[in-house]
Amino acid sequence: MRPHPRLDLAVVGCGAVVEGLYRGALRKLESRGIVRVAALVDPNAARTAALGRHFRSARAFGAVDEAFAALTPDLVIVASPPGRHAEHAAAAFAAGSNVLCEKPMAASVADAEHMLEAARHSGRVLAVGLVRRMFPSLIEARALLDAGALGDDLRFSYREGLVYSWPVSTDAAFRRATAGGGVLMDFGSHALDFLAALFGTPTVDAYADDAYGGGVETNCRIELAFPRASGVMQLSWSQPLVTGLHVVGSKGELTLQPSRVDSVRWRRSGEAWRTLKGAVAWPTDLRRASEWRTPRSYYDCIHDQLVQALRAVLWGEPVPATGEDGLAVAQVIEACYRHPDPLRIPWLTPEEQAQTQQRHWSVQRSAAA
Amino acid sequence: MVGAGGFVGARLLEMAILGGRADVVPVVRSYKSVARNANLGAPHRIGDAMRAESLERALDGCDAVVNLTTGDPSEIVRTTKNVCAAAVAAGARVLVHLSSATVYGQIERPDLPDDAPPRLDHWMPYARQKGLAENFLRERMADGHLAIVVLRPGLVWGPGSPWVLGPANDLVRGGAYLVGDGSGICNLMYVDDLVRSIHAVVARPVTGFYNVADDETTTWRTFYGALAAGLGVNMNAVHRVSGDRYRAGLHDRLDAVRSLRLYRWLKDRLALETRTALKLRLAELRGGDEPATSGTGSTVVTRTFWDLQTTRCSLPTSLFRATFGHQNRGSFASGLAASLAWLRFIGLDERAFAHELDSQAS
């Protein structure tokens, strides 16, 4: 007798996120008989067909209502454009399914609240793909902070940026109507959640970005105050920022790279740097007495996050990032977008800098209002 | 503008929009390249220069075509042919093609003519393919279907340039080096001045080949010295490398492997997840999981930089000035100031972090 039933999965949105991140994990889990990918949903038939080559028993659908009329998956991975997350998650909950929603959970606070309400009403699981919660480095860094290793008066600088190279299949990620925003909405969701997991719930002291009317931000800078730290976060889709978190306290400092999921460097003031290799482990299957492992790559984390969402469905275990965590991120982003200032781009000529002020989306939004 | 998602293309589009121009049509190969310019709110067209029919649609209605495509050297000739054919099909009156001074190899003559033939025996595949693309355009110039202007800049520099980021990164990490006494000529072309040069050509095209470069002659010692001073790095920490001959290293052998068709074929077929796992495993085997500490990096002399740093002459640009006028508005000092502002913005100057923390504390 099997220790647990095989769970049926549906994937809503078959673009780059699923192709690049989830496909490998889903294939592993399907080959081990843990899940069956039962449905692939995307308005673009070419994408469902391409993904379908890897999941022979999956049926292709062009819309969620068609899919949920035909079957009730145990878990729905919502990976459509963020502007559609609320609609697609609500449809999944209405059909009796549980949801693992890709980040950002929603393009607005209202959408996030709607999703939470739909999850509560249905009594189903809402997990959010804020995958950095799985990072052993995060657990180690939090343990250092909890132990007071860095002392108090914590200040931080967080940068993350590169010239965008994610192989998106549409321009939905670059339009406010479909994505809700730009780089802040994109990997800013991860970064904000990561910092919240370390320092608590933040408030936004200042926010500036480089979006003109009709555009979305490719660069932004946020001053944040958390219960136990304050600092600056800078994000970019167009610049190769020196990426990483640097925290300095009265007794020491730590640095952490988001690309190194399992290690943290830190030192007490005046001492040499040392590296802490994270040892936190996650289950790798759905058995009660599962095997556990420490994830060493981003892909390991994606796999283990998916397993944890499935375990939440099957055994009621907690998910790494909840709908409330997703809502908290949406609230910070919305606070940023409520009062955006033009970001100073210091290498532009004075005339160009004046133009960036005039063309900033806040100016155009005010004029429209 | 084909190749709007690249370094020069993005700056050209930004300058056009901030300058109030609405007549520049950005064309990119795929949607991901829209991201770099997504703040501008400019509609992009998708056109893959490797596929002629997709490019023809993208260039519809354009009367000038600027080819700024980059990519794998093996694609350069084909993309050049496709861009040229699509420009003709679109009825464009001018094609501006961005080539590179690297087609000459090192600049060894002060009187090098602008239409000197490219060196097709260059060791670097990029240079050879750029040269072959030039030769193709040389033949098309005779057809007279449209004006074809080939611009050959040296090292395009400024905020966002790899020719700024690479040396600055090496300086900060402690891996920077100068070949000989650093008196080799660094043939720079500031990106904003290159954009102005392109606009001048589009406005009044005259078919031919033209070198473009900054007005000032800059040595590598001057370039590194200025960057080092701006970043607070001691020039005494810059390594010195003998200029008598280039000595190939492990990275050359690795580069040779990477350029093999079989390697590229395999790489293209491996899932990103598999490639990441392999990289991780290799890093563990090397014991190289530790990030380099600031100022302690090792020096890796590459043949590209060795060639560049042993260049003896400035790129002659008098033909361009005589034909299109003097388009350079900046100076080495102003370009450097902008570049340093950019390097601080991206976080390369560690003193900026300390300053930021001090500001937060106060």
Side-chain angles (χ1 to χ4, degrees):
Chain A
M1 186 179 150
R2 291 169 62 86
H4 61 78
R6 187 179 63 181
L7 299 185
D8 274 0
L9 268 152
V11 177
V12 176
C14 300
V17 168
V18 173
E19 185 63 41
L21 293 180
Y22 282 93
R23 194 184 82 192
L26 288 170
R27 286 193 65 177
K28 273 182 206 151
L29 292 171
E30 192 168 78
S31 69
R32 294 170 67 194
I34 293 172
V35 301
R36 178 178 73 111
V37 178
L40 301 171
V41 187
D42 197 294
N44 185 332
R47 290 210 293 265
T48 51
L51 200 58
R53 283 196 281 277
H54 302 280
F55 304 103
R56 295 292 181 187
S57 56
R59 292 171 62 188
F61 297 93
V64 289
D65 51 354
E66 293 168 25
F68 297 142
L71 45 89
T72 304
D74 297 295
L75 182 72
V76 176
I77 297 175
V78 174
S80 48
R84 307 291 301 278
H85 282 183
E87 171 197 344
H88 292 159
F93 290 133
S97 296
N98 303 278
V99 168
L100 168 59
C101 182
E102 242 312 296
K103 66 83 201 166
M105 178 170 122
S108 68
V109 169
D111 275 3
E113 287 172 340
H114 177 55
M115 290 167 73
L116 270 172
E117 181 51 36
R120 282 191 200 114
H121 183 72
S122 67
R124 302 294 170 182
V125 172
L126 171 57
V128 184
L130 291 162
V131 68
R132 295 184 188 183
R133 294 260 175 173
M134 309 295 293
F135 286 10
S137 60
L138 170 70
I139 314 295
E140 292 296 339
R142 194 162 52 196
L144 280 172
L145 297 179
D146 289 347
L150 304 191
D152 49 23
D153 188 24
L154 297 179
R155 287 161 290 142
F156 72 87
S157 160
Y158 183 92
R159 285 195 190 88
E160 187 169 357
L162 73 176
V163 177
Y164 191 96
S165 62
W166 189 243
V168 288
S169 40
T170 71
D171 65 350
F174 315 126
R175 289 188 280 122
R176 203 169 291 277
T178 41
V183 66
L184 176 61
M185 190 61 87
D186 181 22
F187 53 72
S189 301
H190 279 313
L192 285 168
D193 182 65
F194 194 89
L195 293 177
L198 279 178
F199 302 132
T201 304
T203 55
V204 178
D205 284 346
Y207 170 76
D209 70 27
D210 65 349
Y212 304 168
V216 294
E217 76 282 357
T218 56
N219 288 278
C220 68
R221 184 181 189 278
I222 318 170
E223 292 176 25
L224 292 160
F226 292 84
R228 65 176 179 183
S230 61
V232 175
M233 186 167 101
Q234 187 187 350
L235 306 168
S236 182
W237 268 347
S238 64
Q239 306 298 336
L241 302 187
V242 177
T243 290
L245 170 67
H246 193 165
V247 188
V248 178
S250 58
K251 291 183 185 167
E253 60 187 313
L254 73 76
T255 66
L256 189 155
Q257 301 292 324
S259 59
R260 291 169 189 266
V261 305
D262 61 349
S263 63
V264 180
R265 299 179 80 233
W266 81 286
R267 65 176 174 183
R268 289 198 180 87
S269 303
E271 293 183 3
W273 286 97
R274 61 185 98 173
T275 300
L276 269 180
K277 200 90 169 167
V280 66
W282 298 94
T284 60
D285 60 48
L286 303 189
R287 290 174 299 167
R288 286 273 196 194
S290 167
E291 289 178 14
W292 293 60
R293 68 146 176 211
T294 300
R296 296 293 177 203
S297 74
Y298 198 85
Y299 294 97
D300 289 348
C301 292
I302 290 282
H303 174 278
D304 296 354
Q305 173 186 253
L306 184 52
V307 168
Q308 204 52 37
L310 292 165
R311 292 180 71 89
V313 171
L314 194 60
W315 306 119
E317 293 181 7
V319 293
T322 63
E324 284 77 7
D325 296 323
L327 171 64
V329 170
Q331 285 168 333
V332 176
I333 292 175
E334 199 157 289
C336 290
Y337 288 157
R338 206 173 293 132
H339 302 292
D341 287 322
L343 181 68
R344 185 169 178 273
I345 307 294
W347 60 87
L348 296 183
T349 65
E351 297 77 22
E352 287 177 328
Q353 294 201 22
Q355 276 292 314
T356 62
Q357 303 260 335
Q358 289 172 24
R359 290 172 183 269
H360 192 253
W361 68 297
S362 61
V363 175
Q364 305 212 350
R365 192 169 61 177
S366 301
Chain B
M1 174 178 42
V2 187
F7 158 54
V8 177
R11 182 61 182 141
L12 193 155
L13 184 62
E14 182 179 53
M15 286 174 73
I17 287 175
L18 291 176
R21 292 185 70 143
D23 59 348
V24 175
V25 178
V27 179
V28 291
R29 184 179 213 165
S30 58
Y31 285 110
K32 71 179 180 186
S33 298
V34 176
R36 194 170 187 165
N37 307 318
N39 65 316
L40 305 176
H44 284 56
R45 296 185 189 178
I46 302 296
D48 183 354
M50 285 296 281
R51 295 188 298 117
E53 77 287 355
S54 110
L55 206 54
E56 283 175 21
R57 284 195 302 275
L59 299 185
D60 184 40
C62 296
D63 72 341
V65 175
V66 178
N67 180 13
L68 302 176
T69 53
T70 57
D72 191 280
S74 65
E75 297 179 351
I76 289 173
V77 173
R78 185 165 160 196
T79 56
T80 304
K81 288 179 176 176
N82 286 343
V83 171
C84 185
V88 171
R93 62 182 172 82
V94 54
L95 167 64
V96 182
H97 173 85
L98 200 68
S99 187
S100 166
T102 194
V103 297
Y104 294 135
Q106 291 162 297
I107 316 296
E108 291 169 338
R109 292 170 48 189
D111 59 344
L112 186 74
D114 286 62
D115 63 351
R119 272 188 55 183
L120 299 181
D121 62 344
H122 199 290
W123 65 269
M124 192 195 296
Y126 172 79
R128 287 199 304 274
Q129 296 301 318
K130 277 287 195 187
L132 288 168
E134 280 197 6
N135 283 351
F136 164 77
L137 290 172
R138 194 182 295 268
E139 291 171 12
R140 295 285 77 78
M141 285 176 186
D143 297 346
H145 290 306
L146 75 174
I148 297 177
V149 181
V150 176
L151 294 180
R152 288 200 207 99
L155 307 177
V156 184
W157 73 301
S161 165
W163 300 111
V164 171
L165 182 61
N169 210 21
D170 284 348
L171 283 165
V172 169
R173 307 283 169 241
Y177 60 90
L178 284 173
V179 177
D181 62 358
S183 62
I185 303 299
C186 180
N187 277 301
L188 297 170
M189 173 82 228
Y190 190 64
V191 61
D192 289 11
D193 288 331
L194 176 60
V195 169
R196 280 186 273 270
S197 299
I198 291 169
H199 283 307
V201 167
V202 170
R204 201 164 46 84
V206 180
T207 290
F209 294 84
Y210 303 91
N211 302 323
V212 283
D214 287 352
D215 295 340
E216 293 155 271
T217 298
T218 307
T219 65
W220 285 93
R221 190 174 54 232
T222 304
F223 185 49
Y224 272 70
L227 282 174
L231 293 167
V233 175
N234 188 340
M235 269 298 275
N236 291 333
V238 174
H239 305 268
R240 303 290 163 146
V241 175
S242 167
D244 59 351
R245 71 180 173 86
Y246 176 69
R247 292 166 179 82
L250 175 64
H251 59 276
D252 292 288
R253 290 192 281 280
L254 290 174
D255 282 347
V257 171
R258 288 190 196 104
S259 67
L260 292 174
R261 277 193 184 160
L262 176 65
Y263 175 88
R264 293 206 303 270
W265 183 86
L266 273 172
K267 189 181 166 198
D268 290 346
R269 275 150 190 82
L270 282 180
L272 191 58
E273 182 174 354
T274 311
R275 293 211 300 267
T276 305
L278 283 172
K279 273 186 195 168
L280 203 66
R281 184 75 187 121
L282 282 172
E284 283 171 3
L285 288 173
R286 280 202 312 267
D289 205 26
E290 293 300 311
T293 308
S294 181
T296 61
S298 58
T299 298
V300 178
V301 181
T302 65
R303 191 169 180 187
T304 301
F305 259 85
W306 196 90
D307 273 9
L308 288 168
Q309 289 207 26
T310 52
T311 295
R312 287 184 296 186
C313 300
S314 299
L315 190 65
T317 58
S318 53
L319 183 62
F320 179 89
R321 283 201 302 276
T323 312
F324 301 104
H326 186 234
Q327 301 300 328
N328 293 351
R329 301 280 182 275
S331 62
F332 179 70
S334 62
L336 183 76
S339 300
L340 287 169
W342 173 68
L343 290 169
R344 289 185 197 108
F345 180 90
I346 67 169
L348 201 68
D349 186 347
E350 293 184 352
R351 295 170 309 171
F353 173 64
H355 178 70
E356 198 160 68
L357 290 182
D358 288 345
S359 306
Q360 287 173 34
S362 63

